[in-house]
């Protein structure tokens, strides 16, 4: 149990550099490992999820050294990983699990993947089924971890994805790199494109058509190591963007945040709701970045549907919080993917928000919210539901109520943002 920070008297103020992007940190380790030569990652995210990826690749025989947020990888090449009889521990990380399945399916050894209780409930057939169309030999335990992979020669395919998921897409791309002929994948909706962009920077030949949905992957690339500075994570900056917007009299600067279009749905939603976020100091070293200057604002309600979801998927609990503060009726639909995140985030958000006195109803694929600028909490104890993003959303919500609040299972924030409470304190 942790005592959450109480409503600040004079708003949030100050500058922060949020930790490195989680998606890019995972991929930096993976792609560096399967490249030839040295890869150096600066501003690597030293959170539990990315450390699971780092440990797994060490177990697969890749020499990796880490000093704080600097990582040096001696890449072994696409065919240089070595198998291990020990299960590979995926921890809580869906990204590690799903991406590594595509990679290990095409290797010359067998692997077993295990994970924690939350990860062991998450669906893995969405990856194993399309991979088996490519010839992969993968046994999933009733659709879940543990997963047993018998490495084999994979075949190129033309495949239309059934879910809008960057993890599934990325897994298939990693398999396609090892296939006997080119592959084409067609997404339902555009999802984060870090895999395509980064693998091309490492030397792959992956072409995305102008529809932003159709992706052609050439097999057997020669990947070479590179040096990469990982941008601040938009999904971590999002907590302070929302806090700075909702807590009156705030002005917060978030330095060097990744603003790849496939990740900036929250910026577009805030703009529609009447938020005040300015982008300064734009740069582009492979992935675009900017400093975000956030000031408090009064918000209008919003309606968002399926096509708006992928580029704000991890920030939807925060969008619900914005809606809960905007006077009037907001509706979020098309987000059934939230049901299969680290916890069922539709149920968890509804449960936590009701405790805060927010008028919210669960929909099968989202929320109905009647926002108001004051809530009457029913309890002083919130719960992370064992989900990092729910715990951090609770901590931001607690800044908006008059009474002091506590959080059960707060340490789960270390999955993506170990310094979250310290960074929030810096702004108070
Ligand atoms: C991620 C993709 C998204 C996202 C997750 C990270 C990635 O998951 O929610 O936090 O790095 O590819 P889905 O692919 O399941 O939508």
């Amino acid at each position: 149990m942790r005592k959450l920070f109480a409503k600040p008297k004079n708003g949030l103020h100050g500058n922060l550099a949020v930790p490195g992007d989680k998606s890019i940190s995972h991929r930096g380790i993976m792609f560096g490992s399967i490249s030839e030569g040295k890869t150096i990652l600066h501003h690597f995210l030293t959170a539990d999820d990315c450390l699971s990826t780092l440990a797994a690749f060490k177990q697969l025989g890749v020499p990796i050294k880490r000093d704080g947020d600097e990582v040096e990888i001696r890449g072994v090449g696409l065919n240089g990983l070595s198998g291990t009889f020990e299960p590979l521990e995926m921890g809580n990380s869906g990204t590690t699990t799903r991406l590594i399945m595509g990679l290990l399916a095409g290797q010359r050894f067998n692997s077993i993947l295990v994970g924690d209780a939350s990860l062991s409930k998450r669906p893995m057939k969405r990856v194993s089924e399309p991979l088996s169309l490519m010839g992969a030999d993968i046994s999933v335990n009733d659709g879940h971890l543990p997963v047993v992979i018998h490495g084999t020669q994979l075949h190129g395919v033309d495949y239309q994805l059934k879910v809008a998921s960057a993890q599934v897409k990325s897994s298939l791309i990693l398999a396609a790199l090892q296939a006997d002929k080119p592959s084409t994948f067609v997404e339902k909706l555009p999802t984060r494109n870090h895999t395509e962009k980064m693998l091309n920077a490492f030397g792959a030949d992956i072409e995305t058509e102008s529809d932003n949905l159709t992706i052609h992957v050439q097999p057997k690339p020669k990947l070479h190591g590179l040096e990469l500075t990982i941008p601040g994570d938009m999904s971590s900056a999002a907590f302070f963007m929302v806090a700075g917007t909702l807590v009156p009299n705030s002005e917060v600067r978030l330095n060097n945040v990744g603003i790849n279009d496939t990740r900036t749905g929250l910026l577009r939603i805030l703009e529609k709701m009447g938020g005040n976020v300015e982008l300064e100091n734009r740069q582009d070293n492979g992935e675009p970045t900017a400093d975000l200057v956030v000031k408090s604002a009064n918000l209008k309600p919003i309606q968002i549907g399926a096509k708006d979801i992928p580029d704000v998927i991890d920030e939807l609990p925060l969008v619900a919080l914005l809606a809960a503060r905007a006077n009037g009726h907001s509706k979020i639909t098309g987000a059934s993917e939230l049901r299969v995140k680290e916890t069922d985030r539709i149920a968890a958000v509804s449960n936590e928000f009701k405790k805060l006195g927010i008028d919210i109803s669960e929909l099968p694929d989202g929320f109905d919210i009647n926002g108001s600028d004051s809530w009457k909490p029913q309890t002083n104890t919130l719960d992370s539901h064992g989900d990092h993003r729910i715990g951090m959303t609770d901590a931001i919500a607690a800044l908006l109520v008059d009474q002091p609040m506590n959080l059960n299972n707060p340490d789960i924030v270390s999955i993506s943002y170990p310094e979250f409470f310290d960074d929030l304190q810096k702004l108070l």
Side-chain angles (χ1 to χ4, degrees):
M1 181 91 90
R2 178 186 180 107
K3 228 171 131 214
L4 290 172
F5 298 115
K7 192 171 183 173
K9 291 202 177 67
N10 301 310
L12 302 182
H13 295 274
N15 282 0
L16 275 186
V18 296
D21 186 273
K22 182 156 84 74
S23 293
I24 298 178
S25 294
H26 282 301
R27 288 161 173 79
I29 299 280
M30 295 181 183
F31 306 164
S33 294
I34 58 169
S35 293
E36 278 164 32
K38 188 159 72 173
T39 285
I40 296 181
L41 306 175
H42 303 287
H43 202 45
F44 172 75
L45 174 62
T46 58
D48 294 351
D49 261 13
C50 298
L51 294 175
S52 293
T53 296
L54 193 152
F57 279 85
K58 271 189 169 173
Q59 232 182 310
L60 292 166
V62 184
I64 307 178
K65 280 194 298 202
R66 180 175 73 86
D67 180 7
D69 64 0
E70 303 282 304
V71 178
E72 186 183 301
I73 304 161
R74 296 272 167 188
V76 296
L78 200 43
N79 301 315
L81 299 172
S82 21
T84 158
F85 290 111
E86 295 296 316
L88 293 163
E89 178 54 70
M90 304 286 103
N92 189 250
S93 179
T95 307
T96 314
T97 312
R98 296 195 176 118
L99 270 63
I100 220 172
M101 281 170 72
L103 179 63
L104 295 180
Q107 297 289 312
R108 278 167 299 193
F109 53 81
N110 301 336
S111 311
I112 301 174
L113 310 181
V114 296
D116 74 5
S118 150
L119 185 62
S120 302
K121 288 195 201 122
R122 298 183 64 190
M124 296 302 156
K125 272 200 185 144
R126 53 178 56 202
V127 186
S128 63
E129 276 179 359
L131 285 174
S132 64
L133 298 176
M134 301 178 76
D137 179 354
I138 301 181
S139 326
V140 286
N141 172 24
D142 195 21
H144 303 102
L145 290 182
V147 164
V148 180
I149 303 167
H150 298 280
T152 186
Q153 176 60 54
L154 300 174
H155 311 300
V157 283
D158 284 2
Y159 178 75
Q160 192 142 11
L161 277 88
K162 295 196 176 128
V163 274
S165 161
Q167 292 179 354
V168 176
K169 169 179 66 176
S170 301
S171 184
L172 298 178
I173 291 175
L174 285 167
L177 295 182
Q178 307 166 80
D180 53 4
K181 62 182 181 59
S183 295
T184 297
F185 302 111
V186 183
E187 292 201 81
K188 275 174 82 118
L189 288 168
T191 62
R192 65 190 67 193
N193 61 4
H194 304 301
T195 296
E196 301 87 302
K197 288 185 78 167
M198 288 175 71
L199 276 174
N200 279 341
F202 277 93
D205 180 355
I206 301 175
E207 191 208 335
T208 305
E209 288 188 19
S210 57
D211 60 4
N212 278 329
L213 297 170
T214 310
I215 301 159
H216 303 284
V217 185
Q218 297 300 325
K220 316 271 184 227
K222 214 168 159 42
L223 303 175
H224 51 77
L226 48 79
E227 186 165 352
L228 198 74
T229 299
I230 297 173
D233 196 327
M234 172 58 79
S235 301
S236 298
F239 294 99
F240 307 117
M241 272 161 69
V242 168
T245 300
L246 295 180
V247 175
N249 305 314
S250 299
E251 178 164 349
V252 174
R253 175 183 278 269
L254 305 162
N255 295 320
N256 207 34
V257 179
I259 53 162
N260 178 315
D261 269 353
T262 60
R263 297 288 298 281
T264 47
L266 183 64
L267 289 176
R268 289 183 281 280
I269 287 171
L270 267 172
E271 193 177 345
K272 280 195 198 141
M273 296 182 85
N276 185 344
V277 183
E278 306 256 338
L279 272 58
E280 293 180 3
N281 187 25
R282 285 173 184 262
Q283 303 199 22
D284 194 344
N285 299 308
E287 285 282 354
T289 59
D291 298 346
L292 310 180
V293 182
V294 186
K295 295 183 186 151
S296 320
N298 286 322
L299 300 182
K300 299 185 283 256
I302 186 135
Q303 312 276 321
I304 64 172
K307 70 174 181 4
D308 306 312
I309 299 299
D311 56 18
V312 68
I313 183 72
D314 291 338
E315 293 72 65
L316 287 171
L318 289 167
V319 175
L321 189 63
L322 293 170
R325 220 56 190 172
N327 273 313
H329 173 234
S330 291
K331 191 168 185 169
I332 301 171
T333 56
S336 54
E337 275 296 298
L338 288 184
R339 298 251 180 227
V340 291
K341 292 294 176 190
E342 285 81 333
T343 186
D344 175 343
R345 287 187 179 157
I346 295 180
V349 165
S350 305
N351 186 285
E352 293 305 296
F353 282 21
K354 280 182 186 155
K355 290 187 205 165
L356 287 159
I358 296 166
D359 179 359
I360 182 167
S361 336
E362 242 184 77
L363 303 172
D365 60 345
F367 311 97
D368 241 331
I369 299 168
N370 289 305
S372 144
D373 50 18
S374 76
W375 312 321
K376 293 198 177 51
Q378 318 285 307
T379 166
N380 61 2
T381 305
L382 300 175
D383 197 312
S384 67
H385 295 245
D387 180 325
H388 53 131
R389 298 200 200 278
I390 300 297
M392 292 187 276
T393 303
D394 282 337
I396 301 302
L399 301 173
L400 304 170
V401 295
D402 291 317
Q403 70 189 65
M405 303 297 286
N406 300 306
L407 181 64
N408 268 330
N409 195 359
D411 296 340
I412 195 73
V413 304
S414 67
I415 292 296
S416 66
Y417 198 164
E419 311 84 2
F420 170 75
F421 290 110
D422 298 336
D423 280 357
L424 179 54
Q425 186 162 33
K426 287 183 198 156
L427 301 178
L428 289 168

